[in-house]
Amino acid sequence: MQQKNETYGYAVGVQEFDWIRERQAPYIDKTKYVWQMATTKAKYFFLSRPRRFGKSLLVDTLRCYFEGRKELFEGLYIYDKETEWKKYPVIRLDLSNGKYYDKERVHPTINVILEQQERKFGITNPADPTNYDARLTRLIETAYEQTGEQVVVLIDEYDAPMLDSINDWALQDYIRDRIRNLFSPLKAQAQYLRFVFLTGISKFSQLSVFSELNNLQQLTFDQNYEAVCGISEEELLTQWKPDIELLTEKMNKTYSRWGLHYSYDDVVAKLKETYDGYHFSNNFTDIYCPWSLVNAFTMGDIRNYWFSTGTPTMLVNVMRQHNISLQQIEHLHARLDRFDAPTERISDPIPVLFQSGYLTLKSYNPIERKYELGFPNGEVREGFATSLYKYYMVDYVGSQDTLVNAFNDLRFNRRTIEDYRIVQVK
């Protein structure tokens, strides 16, 4: 049932499905995709999406489903589809729970992540805490023996350690060995596994998860899963129509002092311009950034929320290492296999820009089998104008006004980044 969420508010930043459902917080129903994955013949899945796009919430939705928590799904798509609600043991590893900037942090971080899961099944004092292969193997086998059911393994942000060490190749090699050791049981223990799901950004070829799991189903560009994370326009205009109405009321209350008035259609158009435009298949279904939408509804205003959460140092460093200037990143063209090819190290910045959410698919040429890339929406375009320009123009810009002008030109589409040619003043 649709209702304006004035009383309970929004679960901003909450990634626990049970927390959201138990408190009746607004939730866009994604359980159709959970049902698709759970009932297909495949067992191993990988999904890449930008940060703050709902990957962790999807992982937790899968956890609750496989734990058989039927009551949490009442009123959702999957509720009447599932008839058994069988309970499986679930092992969830979130590799983003820690930082991996130096060798000394790697083992303590992974150790804590494994210990949290080992305690669930009464495992203590592993013989060799640094032998992650043996520890995950024991975890899977113990979970199977205790329950008599095959095990579900959910790995969130599997590549977080690799991305943290992207600028230190020696450290990255060290981490790669540790992560390869951790993931190696996923194929060897197949007979004990019911379902394996991984999320991340990039594919690293030397990790066993991709070199050994050759039956891993890639969902990233699958047309059937393009709206598995994020919010489609249809979902926004149907499930959250009352929320748009409330946002319209709040914005009119705020901006009436300046003589501004917004209709419902005005707000819909502004939401689309600012947060829409992500595409994950050649269907080009418009996907909105969920983080930005939820914050806009919470704050009662349409601002830049996703970009303001931080421009990753990794992104800036990759662009600078490869001499990618801002005027080059719109209207790029690339084949799909450029994004999906595993890499030992991130040597091509274009897939990183796409998978991180700073570029998206804009159009497709079926003859050349090439995609045109560009900024997804106004929020990202403005973010580049205001946040990233300083990394490239710090030596050339002597006045803040130059940045302000660039910001407004890009914001109102009077110019593109290509119009800004950096000319050093002698």
Side-chain angles (χ1 to χ4, degrees):
M1 182 177 68
Q2 293 183 337
Q3 62 179 17
K4 294 182 180 180
N5 296 292
E6 298 177 85
T7 304
Y8 298 104
Y10 299 86
V12 179
V14 176
Q15 301 172 344
E16 294 79 26
F17 178 76
D18 46 1
W19 194 98
I20 290 173
R21 296 295 291 168
E22 287 168 353
R23 289 161 179 77
Q24 301 178 30
Y27 171 74
I28 294 293
D29 188 356
K30 299 293 183 179
T31 61
K32 175 180 75 172
Y33 303 103
V34 172
W35 180 248
Q36 286 178 195
M37 285 186 279
T39 55
T40 188
K41 300 298 182 184
K43 180 184 291 188
Y44 300 89
F45 301 86
F46 173 73
L47 174 71
S48 170
R49 283 293 184 271
R51 63 188 174 87
R52 299 198 179 278
F53 237 78
K55 297 191 299 296
S56 296
L57 178 56
L58 175 63
V59 168
D60 206 61
T61 306
L62 287 163
R63 173 186 67 84
C64 292
Y65 167 72
F66 281 111
E67 288 178 346
R69 302 179 66 181
K70 179 180 179 180
E71 72 282 359
L72 296 175
F73 294 87
E74 185 174 357
L76 301 180
Y77 174 90
I78 204 171
Y79 187 77
D80 294 323
K81 293 288 184 180
E82 180 60 80
T83 57
E84 296 183 1
W85 290 98
K86 193 173 182 179
K87 183 177 181 178
Y88 295 90
V90 177
I91 296 170
R92 179 178 180 181
L93 307 176
D94 185 351
L95 296 190
S96 68
N97 283 341
K99 296 300 180 183
Y100 306 82
Y101 295 134
D102 53 61
K103 281 187 178 181
E104 289 69 27
R105 298 189 186 192
V106 175
H107 171 67
T109 301
I110 298 177
N111 185 55
V112 168
I113 293 171
L114 285 172
E115 281 183 339
Q116 290 173 344
Q117 300 302 305
E118 288 168 335
R119 284 195 294 269
K120 288 170 54 177
F121 300 98
I123 299 174
T124 58
N125 301 319
D128 181 1
T130 64
N131 189 341
Y132 308 137
D133 180 339
R135 291 177 70 178
L136 185 56
T137 296
R138 186 183 179 191
L139 247 177
I140 293 171
E141 292 180 351
T142 300
Y144 177 79
E145 291 168 359
Q146 289 183 3
T147 64
E149 300 291 347
Q150 288 182 305
V151 181
V152 172
V153 178
L154 306 174
I155 301 176
D156 200 8
E157 305 290 359
Y158 94 95
D159 55 350
M162 303 298 296
L163 296 176
D164 275 354
S165 60
I166 195 170
N167 297 309
D168 186 336
W169 285 12
L171 176 59
Q172 194 168 88
D173 288 340
Y174 174 82
I175 290 177
R176 182 183 294 108
D177 289 340
R178 307 283 84 74
I179 300 301
R180 182 191 298 117
N181 180 257
L182 173 62
F183 290 156
S184 59
L186 293 179
K187 183 175 183 180
Q189 299 295 308
Q191 70 271 28
Y192 300 117
L193 297 175
R194 162 67 176 86
F195 184 92
V196 177
F197 183 75
L198 300 93
T199 73
I201 292 178
S202 298
K203 293 168 64 176
F204 291 86
S205 61
Q206 301 306 311
L207 292 183
S208 62
V209 67
F210 292 113
S211 60
E212 293 184 13
L213 293 182
N214 50 18
N215 57 344
L216 192 67
Q217 182 171 335
Q218 305 287 332
L219 304 182
T220 303
F221 296 103
D222 190 327
Q223 296 178 359
N224 297 312
Y225 291 92
E226 59 186 347
V228 66
C229 290
I231 299 175
S232 71
E233 189 162 76
E234 180 183 0
E235 290 169 335
L236 175 65
L237 297 180
T238 55
Q239 298 186 47
W240 277 5
K241 185 176 186 293
D243 304 82
I244 301 175
E245 294 171 346
L246 181 58
L247 175 61
T248 303
E249 294 175 11
K250 290 180 177 179
M251 289 181 63
N252 281 324
K253 183 177 180 180
T254 299
Y255 290 103
S256 60
R257 70 188 71 176
W258 290 287
L260 297 175
H261 176 79
Y262 296 97
S263 68
Y264 175 89
D265 290 339
D266 291 335
V267 172
V268 168
K270 192 169 179 62
L271 287 171
K272 184 175 182 64
E273 175 192 358
T274 310
Y275 305 137
D276 189 20
Y278 291 94
H279 304 126
F280 300 104
S281 84
N282 54 13
N283 276 345
F284 293 98
T285 298
D286 286 334
I287 304 297
Y288 289 72
C289 175
W291 174 259
S292 297
L293 282 176
V294 169
N295 275 277
F297 292 142
T298 300
M299 301 301 294
D301 198 5
I302 299 175
R303 309 174 194 163
N304 292 349
Y305 299 104
W306 180 81
F307 209 100
S308 67
T309 58
T311 302
T313 303
M314 174 269 296
L315 172 69
V316 176
N317 289 333
V318 167
M319 293 178 67
R320 299 182 77 174
Q321 286 172 8
H322 296 277
N323 296 316
I324 301 295
S325 63
L326 291 178
Q327 62 261 34
Q328 293 175 307
I329 63 175
E330 267 199 303
H331 309 300
L332 290 166
H333 292 83
R335 291 169 60 94
L336 189 61
D337 53 12
R338 185 174 181 182
F339 303 104
D340 204 37
T343 57
E344 182 173 354
R345 294 186 173 94
I346 296 180
S347 57
D348 184 355
I350 303 309
V352 179
L353 287 167
F354 171 78
Q355 292 162 344
S356 300
Y358 297 93
L359 294 178
T360 196
L361 308 178
K362 304 297 284 188
S363 64
Y364 180 63
N365 184 326
I367 305 301
E368 298 181 359
R369 300 178 66 185
K370 284 186 177 180
Y371 288 90
E372 179 186 1
L373 305 175
F375 292 127
N377 52 48
E379 178 176 29
V380 177
R381 182 180 290 108
E382 291 179 15
F384 268 92
T386 57
S387 298
L388 287 186
Y389 253 63
K390 61 185 177 182
Y391 291 103
Y392 289 89
M393 301 182 70
V394 65
D395 296 328
Y396 313 123
V397 178
S399 170
Q400 177 105 13
D401 292 340
T402 304
L403 290 179
V404 173
N405 290 336
F407 168 84
N408 286 322
D409 283 343
L410 288 164
R411 179 181 182 186
F412 298 110
N413 297 314
R414 292 196 292 258
R415 294 186 181 182
T416 67
I417 280 181
E418 293 174 348
D419 294 320
Y420 290 91
R421 304 295 181 182
I422 297 175
V423 178
Q424 185 170 6
V425 179
K426 300 292 185 181

